[in-house]
């Protein structure tokens, strides 16, 4: 599943679409920003970095949405500063998703699963609507 597909699924679960927007953010600023609007959540992510880093940036912002959902809170507007705990939670969620994708890829290789399965795990964790 791609990060784009994950955001579509999560948006359905949360009852609000998640829009992804690639943008050339300033080098001395954040790599990603979560903007919660009345009718959608927008994740803006750095355009000038690798696809793997972009995926991690988006997963970090998704981590904020998941953590807020579990906590019963809703983010409001554009957050320029989260608490250390909020940042830690988002990073743990993003890293866990990425770690599971990498782990699955290793298991696919170890057990020599058919080629169609190989492309749907770690390699697809990029910002596309279709698996590579």
């Amino acid at each position: 599943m791609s990060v784009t597909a994950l955001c579509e699924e999560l948006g359905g679960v949360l009852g609000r679409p998640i829009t992804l927007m690639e943008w050339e953010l300033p080098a001395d600023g954040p790599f990603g920003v979560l903007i919660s609007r009345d009718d959608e959540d927008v994740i803006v992510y750095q355009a000038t970095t690798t696809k793997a880093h972009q995926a991690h940036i988006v997963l970090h912002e998704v981590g904020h949405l998941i953590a807020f959902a579990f906590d019963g809170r809703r983010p409001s507007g554009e957050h320029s500063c989260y608490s250390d705990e909020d940042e830690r939670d988002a990073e743990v969620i993003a890293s866990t998703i990425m770690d599971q994708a990498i782990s699955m890829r290793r298991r696919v290789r170890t057990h020599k699963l058919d080629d169609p399965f190989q492309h749907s795990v770690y390699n697809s964790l990029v910002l596309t609507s279709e698996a590579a």
Side-chain angles (χ1 to χ4, degrees), residues 31-129:
F31 289 114
V33 178
L34 171 62
I35 303 169
S36 291
R37 301 166 58 167
D38 289 338
D39 58 345
E40 70 179 335
D41 292 304
V42 179
I43 296 174
V44 180
Y45 60 94
Q46 180 60 266
T48 57
T49 190
T50 65
K51 291 293 184 190
H53 188 210
Q54 288 176 338
H56 190 83
I57 294 165
V58 171
L59 290 173
H60 177 92
E61 301 306 329
V62 163
H64 283 300
L65 291 172
I66 292 170
F68 286 140
F70 277 122
D71 197 27
R73 297 184 288 156
R74 281 277 322 130
S76 58
E78 180 183 335
H79 291 276
S80 58
C81 186
Y82 289 103
S83 71
D84 289 344
E85 183 178 322
D86 288 340
E87 287 297 336
R88 182 203 63 219
D89 291 347
E91 193 59 28
V92 166
I93 291 167
S95 296
T96 299
I97 293 169
M98 190 70 79
D99 182 62
Q100 288 300 308
I102 292 168
S103 177
M104 179 62 75
R105 182 177 186 205
R106 287 182 186 138
R107 284 185 289 229
V108 165
R109 285 183 178 169
T110 299
H111 299 291
K112 298 181 175 144
L113 296 176
D114 292 334
D115 199 45
F117 294 105
Q118 293 180 11
H119 297 294
S120 65
V121 188
Y122 178 73
N123 288 336
S124 67
L125 245 125
V126 295
L127 299 164
T128 61
S129 57

